[in-house]
Amino acid sequence: MSRTGKGNLKARYGTWALVTGASSGIGREFARELAAAGLNVVLVARRRTELETLTAELKARHGVDCVVHALDLGNGDSVGFLEAATADVDIGLVVAAAGYGTSGAFLDADVPDELRMIEVNCRAVTELTHVFARRFAARGRGGIVLMSSLVAFQGVPRAATYAATKGFIQVFAEGIRRELKPHGVDVIASAPGPIQSGFGERANMSMGMSQGPEVVAKATLAALGRRGTVRPGWLGKLLEASLAPLPRWGRTRIMQQVMAGMTPTTGKKATDSVRR
Ligand SMILES: NC(=O)c1ccc[n+]([C@@H]2O[C@H](COP(=O)([O-])OP(=O)(O)OC[C@H]3O[C@@H](n4cnc5c(N)ncnc54)[C@H](OP(=O)(O)O)[C@@H]3O)[C@@H](O)[C@H]2O)c1
């Protein structure tokens, strides 16, 4: 068995994990995988009802403990609240899956919405990572999973700001991985291609061919501690393999064509309303 296979996540990182974005999609699947491995989970997202439904499921199926924090990570004080609220919980693994995308012509962008996305996708992730990296370094072990994307590796016309947030996460993860390794802390960037979740509706992107969110959770946890970046699922690997031989400008031109097919040029723009 690998050093960090599902069977020994608990032995390696301890009994508690924290998952942001646990109310839907990829984050919810991480929570399910971690609970299946016997870890108790702190669940974070805005929608309390979804988090409580997941709590009931995880307790019934796996007999683990769950704690719910219904928080908007776009709010500047949310990570400070989480830090205080979890001060007495020996969390050893953090999955920062909360995030969303936007799409469309940059000239038509709703700038406050773009800035809110940067707050959630970058500012909150940086702050959360700092809080737990320090705790993990102090206890001499820990794991940090950050959500990058296939779009993180080149500019993406019609999703320029979203791709830039994921480029930030990818580069951030690569840097802190080397810094935290001597402290016993594993860091991984998970960079999937299109995944079925709430993402497409929120980003106003038609996802077309996509894979289920469970492939992301399984592949990422299997690679944690062994690799710095994982590309979960055959679809993401195939798309990356077809982009890899191209120079960066060529990748961006291909992404322009891909995004032209995925993002409507007219029609209703998705809002950031909380889906209750
Ligand atoms: N789906 C894909 O194709 C894909 C590909 C590559 C990377 N990713 C990345 O994977 C991550 C998870 O996305 P997903 O596909 O699972 O989408 P999803 O199903 O829409 O899930 C997004 C999660 O983030 C939470 N969230 C969003 N805004 C939040 C806020 N302000 N405060 C707290 N929580 C917030 C949502 O919860 P609430 O709405 O309850 O707050 C939800 O739990 C994102 O970082 C995304 O960029 C997705």
Side-chain angles (χ1 to χ4, degrees), residues 21-27 45-47 71-74 97-100 120 147-149 162 166 192-195 197-199 207 275:
S23 63
S24 172
I26 293 170
R46 291 169 300 178
R47 286 171 290 173
L71 288 176
D72 186 340
L73 290 164
Y100 64 97
V120 175
M147 287 310 302
S148 173
S149 168
Y162 172 64
K166 293 294 145 178
I195 297 294
S197 69
F199 178 86
M207 302 300 280
R275 293 155 295 178

Short mmCIF file of all heavy atoms in Angstrom, two decimals, residues 21-27 45-47 71-74 97-100 120 147-149 162 166 192-195 197-199 207 275, ligand 1:
data_model
loop_
_atom_site.label_atom_id
_atom_site.label_comp_id
_atom_site.label_asym_id
_atom_site.label_seq_id
_atom_site.Cartn_x
_atom_site.Cartn_y
_atom_site.Cartn_z
N GLY A 21 -16.05 23.99 0.79
CA GLY A 21 -16.79 23.64 -0.43
C GLY A 21 -17.44 22.27 -0.31
O GLY A 21 -17.67 21.59 -1.31
N ALA A 22 -17.76 21.87 0.94
CA ALA A 22 -18.26 20.52 1.17
C ALA A 22 -19.75 20.36 0.85
O ALA A 22 -20.27 19.25 0.93
CB ALA A 22 -17.99 20.12 2.63
N SER A 23 -20.42 21.44 0.48
CA SER A 23 -21.87 21.33 0.23
C SER A 23 -22.18 20.80 -1.16
O SER A 23 -23.36 20.54 -1.46
CB SER A 23 -22.52 22.71 0.42
OG SER A 23 -22.01 23.63 -0.53
N SER A 24 -21.18 20.63 -2.02
CA SER A 24 -21.46 20.29 -3.42
C SER A 24 -20.22 19.71 -4.09
O SER A 24 -19.09 19.93 -3.63
CB SER A 24 -21.90 21.57 -4.15
OG SER A 24 -22.01 21.38 -5.54
N GLY A 25 -20.44 18.99 -5.18
CA GLY A 25 -19.39 18.64 -6.13
C GLY A 25 -18.14 18.01 -5.53
O GLY A 25 -18.19 17.02 -4.79
N ILE A 26 -17.00 18.58 -5.88
CA ILE A 26 -15.70 18.00 -5.55
C ILE A 26 -15.46 17.99 -4.03
O ILE A 26 -15.02 16.97 -3.48
CB ILE A 26 -14.59 18.79 -6.29
CG1 ILE A 26 -14.71 18.55 -7.80
CG2 ILE A 26 -13.21 18.40 -5.78
CD1 ILE A 26 -13.84 19.46 -8.67
N GLY A 27 -15.77 19.08 -3.35
CA GLY A 27 -15.57 19.14 -1.90
C GLY A 27 -16.39 18.08 -1.18
O GLY A 27 -15.91 17.43 -0.24
N ALA A 45 -19.02 25.60 4.07
CA ALA A 45 -19.57 26.19 2.84
C ALA A 45 -20.66 27.16 3.32
O ALA A 45 -20.87 27.30 4.53
CB ALA A 45 -20.14 25.13 1.90
N ARG A 46 -21.34 27.81 2.38
CA ARG A 46 -22.40 28.72 2.83
C ARG A 46 -23.69 27.99 3.15
O ARG A 46 -24.40 28.36 4.07
CB ARG A 46 -22.67 29.77 1.73
CG ARG A 46 -21.54 30.77 1.55
CD ARG A 46 -21.73 31.60 0.31
NE ARG A 46 -21.76 30.76 -0.88
CZ ARG A 46 -21.94 31.19 -2.12
NH1 ARG A 46 -22.14 32.47 -2.33
NH2 ARG A 46 -21.95 30.34 -3.14
N ARG A 47 -24.03 26.94 2.39
CA ARG A 47 -25.36 26.32 2.52
C ARG A 47 -25.41 25.31 3.67
O ARG A 47 -24.99 24.16 3.53
CB ARG A 47 -25.74 25.64 1.20
CG ARG A 47 -26.13 26.65 0.12
CD ARG A 47 -26.30 26.01 -1.21
NE ARG A 47 -25.02 25.56 -1.76
CZ ARG A 47 -24.90 24.84 -2.86
NH1 ARG A 47 -25.96 24.46 -3.52
NH2 ARG A 47 -23.70 24.50 -3.31
N LEU A 71 -20.39 29.27 6.35
CA LEU A 71 -19.64 30.53 6.26
C LEU A 71 -19.49 30.98 4.83
O LEU A 71 -19.30 30.14 3.94
CB LEU A 71 -18.20 30.32 6.77
CG LEU A 71 -17.93 30.13 8.24
CD1 LEU A 71 -16.45 29.84 8.41
CD2 LEU A 71 -18.32 31.38 9.00
N ASP A 72 -19.47 32.28 4.62
CA ASP A 72 -19.11 32.82 3.31
C ASP A 72 -17.62 33.17 3.35
O ASP A 72 -17.21 34.12 4.02
CB ASP A 72 -19.95 34.08 3.01
CG ASP A 72 -19.71 34.58 1.60
OD1 ASP A 72 -18.67 34.24 0.99
OD2 ASP A 72 -20.57 35.34 1.11
N LEU A 73 -16.83 32.40 2.61
CA LEU A 73 -15.37 32.61 2.63
C LEU A 73 -14.97 33.88 1.87
O LEU A 73 -13.81 34.27 1.91
CB LEU A 73 -14.65 31.38 2.06
CG LEU A 73 -14.72 30.15 2.97
CD1 LEU A 73 -14.34 28.88 2.21
CD2 LEU A 73 -13.82 30.33 4.19
N GLY A 74 -15.94 34.50 1.23
CA GLY A 74 -15.68 35.81 0.62
C GLY A 74 -15.62 36.92 1.65
O GLY A 74 -15.15 38.02 1.35
N ALA A 97 -11.55 23.27 -1.18
CA ALA A 97 -12.25 23.05 -2.46
C ALA A 97 -13.26 24.16 -2.76
O ALA A 97 -13.79 24.19 -3.87
CB ALA A 97 -12.95 21.70 -2.46
N ALA A 98 -13.55 25.03 -1.81
CA ALA A 98 -14.53 26.09 -2.09
C ALA A 98 -13.98 27.00 -3.19
O ALA A 98 -12.82 27.41 -3.15
CB ALA A 98 -14.80 26.90 -0.83
N GLY A 99 -14.81 27.28 -4.17
CA GLY A 99 -14.38 28.16 -5.25
C GLY A 99 -15.40 28.15 -6.35
O GLY A 99 -16.30 27.30 -6.38
N TYR A 100 -15.28 29.08 -7.25
CA TYR A 100 -16.19 29.11 -8.39
C TYR A 100 -15.55 29.86 -9.55
O TYR A 100 -14.48 30.44 -9.41
CB TYR A 100 -17.53 29.74 -8.00
CG TYR A 100 -17.50 31.19 -7.59
CD1 TYR A 100 -17.79 32.19 -8.53
CD2 TYR A 100 -17.19 31.57 -6.29
CE1 TYR A 100 -17.79 33.53 -8.16
CE2 TYR A 100 -17.18 32.90 -5.92
CZ TYR A 100 -17.48 33.88 -6.85
OH TYR A 100 -17.46 35.20 -6.48
N VAL A 120 -12.58 34.69 -2.82
CA VAL A 120 -12.89 33.30 -2.42
C VAL A 120 -11.81 32.34 -2.93
O VAL A 120 -11.30 31.51 -2.18
CB VAL A 120 -14.28 32.88 -2.97
CG1 VAL A 120 -14.55 31.40 -2.67
CG2 VAL A 120 -15.38 33.76 -2.39
N MET A 147 -7.16 23.35 -4.81
CA MET A 147 -7.80 23.08 -6.10
C MET A 147 -7.29 24.02 -7.18
O MET A 147 -7.63 25.19 -7.24
CB MET A 147 -9.33 23.19 -5.99
CG MET A 147 -9.99 22.05 -5.25
SD MET A 147 -9.52 20.37 -5.81
CE MET A 147 -9.97 20.43 -7.54
N SER A 148 -6.46 23.46 -8.05
CA SER A 148 -6.02 24.12 -9.26
C SER A 148 -6.98 23.70 -10.38
O SER A 148 -8.16 23.39 -10.11
CB SER A 148 -4.58 23.69 -9.55
OG SER A 148 -4.12 24.15 -10.78
N SER A 149 -6.54 23.65 -11.62
CA SER A 149 -7.42 23.29 -12.73
C SER A 149 -6.58 23.12 -14.00
O SER A 149 -5.46 23.65 -14.09
CB SER A 149 -8.45 24.40 -12.96
OG SER A 149 -9.14 24.22 -14.18
N TYR A 162 -10.98 33.84 -13.96
CA TYR A 162 -11.06 32.53 -13.28
C TYR A 162 -9.76 31.74 -13.50
O TYR A 162 -9.18 31.21 -12.53
CB TYR A 162 -12.26 31.72 -13.79
CG TYR A 162 -12.24 30.31 -13.25
CD1 TYR A 162 -12.35 30.07 -11.88
CD2 TYR A 162 -12.05 29.21 -14.10
CE1 TYR A 162 -12.29 28.77 -11.37
CE2 TYR A 162 -11.99 27.92 -13.60
CZ TYR A 162 -12.11 27.70 -12.23
OH TYR A 162 -12.04 26.43 -11.73
N LYS A 166 -6.80 30.29 -10.76
CA LYS A 166 -6.29 28.92 -10.66
C LYS A 166 -4.78 28.87 -10.93
O LYS A 166 -4.07 28.04 -10.36
CB LYS A 166 -7.07 28.00 -11.61
CG LYS A 166 -8.52 27.84 -11.20
CD LYS A 166 -8.65 27.09 -9.88
CE LYS A 166 -9.78 27.56 -9.02
NZ LYS A 166 -9.92 26.80 -7.76
N PRO A 192 -7.93 19.18 -12.15
CA PRO A 192 -8.79 18.40 -13.04
C PRO A 192 -9.20 19.16 -14.29
O PRO A 192 -9.14 20.39 -14.33
CB PRO A 192 -10.02 18.12 -12.17
CG PRO A 192 -9.98 19.05 -11.03
CD PRO A 192 -8.63 19.71 -10.99
N GLY A 193 -9.67 18.39 -15.29
CA GLY A 193 -10.38 18.96 -16.43
C GLY A 193 -11.84 19.11 -16.05
O GLY A 193 -12.16 19.23 -14.86
N PRO A 194 -12.76 19.09 -17.03
CA PRO A 194 -14.18 19.32 -16.73
C PRO A 194 -14.79 18.24 -15.83
O PRO A 194 -14.64 17.05 -16.10
CB PRO A 194 -14.84 19.29 -18.11
CG PRO A 194 -13.75 19.41 -19.11
CD PRO A 194 -12.50 18.93 -18.46
N ILE A 195 -15.44 18.69 -14.78
CA ILE A 195 -16.03 17.79 -13.78
C ILE A 195 -17.51 18.17 -13.58
O ILE A 195 -17.85 19.35 -13.51
CB ILE A 195 -15.27 17.94 -12.43
CG1 ILE A 195 -13.81 17.50 -12.57
CG2 ILE A 195 -15.97 17.18 -11.30
CD1 ILE A 195 -13.57 16.03 -12.88
N SER A 197 -20.54 19.04 -11.63
CA SER A 197 -20.75 19.60 -10.29
C SER A 197 -21.60 20.85 -10.47
O SER A 197 -22.12 21.10 -11.55
CB SER A 197 -19.39 19.96 -9.66
OG SER A 197 -18.83 21.06 -10.36
N GLY A 198 -21.68 21.66 -9.44
CA GLY A 198 -22.40 22.92 -9.56
C GLY A 198 -21.60 23.97 -10.32
O GLY A 198 -22.11 25.06 -10.60
N PHE A 199 -20.35 23.65 -10.65
CA PHE A 199 -19.44 24.64 -11.24
C PHE A 199 -19.95 25.24 -12.55
O PHE A 199 -19.94 26.45 -12.74
CB PHE A 199 -18.06 23.99 -11.46
CG PHE A 199 -17.07 24.92 -12.09
CD1 PHE A 199 -16.32 25.78 -11.33
CD2 PHE A 199 -16.91 24.95 -13.48
CE1 PHE A 199 -15.41 26.66 -11.92
CE2 PHE A 199 -16.01 25.81 -14.08
CZ PHE A 199 -15.26 26.68 -13.30
N MET A 207 -20.53 22.33 -19.86
CA MET A 207 -19.36 21.50 -19.59
C MET A 207 -19.17 20.39 -20.63
O MET A 207 -18.08 19.84 -20.74
CB MET A 207 -19.44 20.89 -18.19
CG MET A 207 -19.55 21.92 -17.08
SD MET A 207 -18.15 23.05 -17.03
CE MET A 207 -16.94 22.05 -16.19
N ARG A 275 -27.48 29.04 -3.54
CA ARG A 275 -28.55 28.15 -3.99
C ARG A 275 -29.09 27.40 -2.79
O ARG A 275 -28.46 26.49 -2.31
CB ARG A 275 -28.01 27.20 -5.05
CG ARG A 275 -27.63 27.90 -6.33
CD ARG A 275 -26.59 27.14 -7.08
NE ARG A 275 -25.35 27.10 -6.33
CZ ARG A 275 -24.28 26.45 -6.76
NH1 ARG A 275 -24.28 25.81 -7.86
NH2 ARG A 275 -23.17 26.47 -6.01
N1 LIG B 1 -16.00 21.40 -11.90
C1 LIG B 1 -14.90 21.56 -12.63
O1 LIG B 1 -14.91 21.33 -13.86
C2 LIG B 1 -13.62 22.01 -11.98
C3 LIG B 1 -12.43 21.81 -12.67
C4 LIG B 1 -11.23 22.23 -12.10
C5 LIG B 1 -11.24 22.81 -10.84
N2 LIG B 1 -12.42 23.00 -10.18
C6 LIG B 1 -12.37 23.65 -8.86
O2 LIG B 1 -12.88 22.73 -7.90
C7 LIG B 1 -13.40 23.44 -6.80
C8 LIG B 1 -14.76 22.89 -6.43
O3 LIG B 1 -15.67 23.18 -7.49
P1 LIG B 1 -16.86 22.19 -7.89
O4 LIG B 1 -16.63 21.77 -9.28
O5 LIG B 1 -17.05 21.17 -6.85
O6 LIG B 1 -18.09 23.23 -7.92
P2 LIG B 1 -19.42 23.28 -7.02
O7 LIG B 1 -20.14 21.98 -7.09
O8 LIG B 1 -20.12 24.52 -7.46
O9 LIG B 1 -18.86 23.47 -5.56
C9 LIG B 1 -18.30 24.68 -5.13
C10 LIG B 1 -18.25 24.69 -3.61
O10 LIG B 1 -17.65 25.91 -3.18
C11 LIG B 1 -18.49 26.49 -2.20
N3 LIG B 1 -18.39 27.93 -2.24
C12 LIG B 1 -18.53 28.74 -3.32
N4 LIG B 1 -18.45 30.02 -2.94
C13 LIG B 1 -18.26 30.01 -1.59
C14 LIG B 1 -18.12 31.03 -0.62
N5 LIG B 1 -18.19 32.34 -0.94
N6 LIG B 1 -17.94 30.68 0.68
C15 LIG B 1 -17.91 29.38 1.02
N7 LIG B 1 -18.04 28.38 0.15
C16 LIG B 1 -18.22 28.69 -1.14
C17 LIG B 1 -19.90 26.01 -2.57
O11 LIG B 1 -20.73 26.01 -1.43
P3 LIG B 1 -21.93 27.04 -1.13
O12 LIG B 1 -22.55 27.41 -2.43
O13 LIG B 1 -22.82 26.26 -0.22
O14 LIG B 1 -21.25 28.15 -0.43
C18 LIG B 1 -19.63 24.59 -3.00
O15 LIG B 1 -19.58 23.74 -1.89
C19 LIG B 1 -13.39 24.94 -7.19
O16 LIG B 1 -12.27 25.55 -6.60
C20 LIG B 1 -13.24 24.88 -8.70
O17 LIG B 1 -12.57 26.03 -9.17
C21 LIG B 1 -13.61 22.60 -10.72
#
